[in-house]
C-alpha cells in the first residue's frame, strides 16, 4: 500500500464491575449516535521507548480524565490496521499507514464521576457510556472492525 510505517499505539478495553465496556464518542464526529466509528475505545500513541503497560494508563488519564484501573490481561499479539487510501497522508499526522496496537483489558476501579472528558483543553471525546463487549464491532469504523472483533473474542471472559 505505502512505504509509511505503522504508528505504535496502545488501547484500553475498560470493564466496569458489571462487565460492560467504556466507549467514548469522538469529538470530531459530533452527534454520531448511530454511525459506525463515532464511538470507540480509548487508545493513543506511545512515546519512543515507552512501556505499553505504562502508556495505557497515561492514555486513560489523557483521554478520560482518570487512570483508576488495574490490568486484567494483555492481548498476546500486536494488532495492526491500515488506513483507507483516502486517509493515508492525512490522518495520524500524515506520517503513518495505520497503527500497530497493543491492547489491554482493564478493570475500572473508580466511580463513574471519576471519568472526566473535560480535563483536556482539546478533548478527543465529547460523551461516553458503558456498552456490552459484543457491541464493539458494530461501533467500529470498517477499517478497525476486525480489531474490535478480535478484542471481543480475546477479552470475552471479563464481560458481564
Amino acid at each position: 500500500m505505502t512505504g509509511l510505517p505503522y504508528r505504535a499505539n496502545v488501547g484500553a478495553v475498560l470493564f466496569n464491575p458489571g462487565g460492560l465496556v467504556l466507549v467514548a464518542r469522538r469529538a470530531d464526529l459530533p452527534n454520531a449516535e448511530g454511525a459506525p466509528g463515532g464511538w470507540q475505545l480509548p487508545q493513543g500513541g506511545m512515546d519512543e521507548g515507552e512501556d505499553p503497560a505504562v502508556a495505557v494508563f497515561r492514555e486513560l488519564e489523557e483521554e478520560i480524565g482518570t487512570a483508576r484501573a488495574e490490568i486484567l490481561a494483555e492481548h498476546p499479539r500486536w494488532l495492526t490496521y491500515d488506513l483507507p487510501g483516502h486517509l493515508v497522508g492525512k490522518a495520524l499526522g500524515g506520517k503513518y499507514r495505520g497503527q500497530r496496537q497493543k491492547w489491554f483489558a482493564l478493570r475500572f476501579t473508580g466511580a463513574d464521576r471519576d471519568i472526566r472528558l473535560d480535563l483536556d483543553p482539546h478533548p478527543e471525546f465529547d460523551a461516553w457510556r458503558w456498552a456490552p463487549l459484543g457491541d464493539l464491532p458494530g461501533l467500529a469504523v470498517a477499517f478497525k472492525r476486525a480489531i474490535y472483533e478480535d478484542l471481543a473474542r480475546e477479552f470475552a471472559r471479563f464481560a458481564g
Side-chain angles (χ1 to χ4, degrees), residues 3-4 8 43 45 50 55 57 59 65 77 85 88 90 108-109 123 131-132 138 140:
L4 295 173
Q43 64 172 63
E50 188 175 25
F57 287 104
E59 281 298 326
R77 298 182 319 278
V88 175
K90 296 178 183 140
F108 183 53
T109 59

Side-chain angles (χ1 to χ4, degrees), residues 50-115:
E50 188 175 25
D51 181 278
V54 172
V56 74
F57 287 104
R58 178 183 51 73
E59 281 298 326
L60 283 174
E61 187 80 40
E62 290 174 8
E63 293 191 353
I64 66 168
T66 183
R68 290 183 176 216
E70 59 189 16
I71 292 176
L72 298 170
E74 178 179 332
H75 196 288
R77 298 182 319 278
W78 285 83
L79 305 176
T80 60
Y81 73 82
D82 289 317
L83 291 168
H86 71 281
L87 292 178
V88 175
K90 296 178 183 140
L92 303 176
K95 299 185 290 189
Y96 304 97
R97 67 182 300 169
Q99 297 197 92
R100 178 177 178 261
Q101 301 178 304
K102 177 54 82 171
W103 284 92
F104 294 87
L106 300 104
R107 174 82 56 216
F108 183 53
T109 59
D112 284 4
R113 69 180 170 275
D114 296 321
I115 298 171

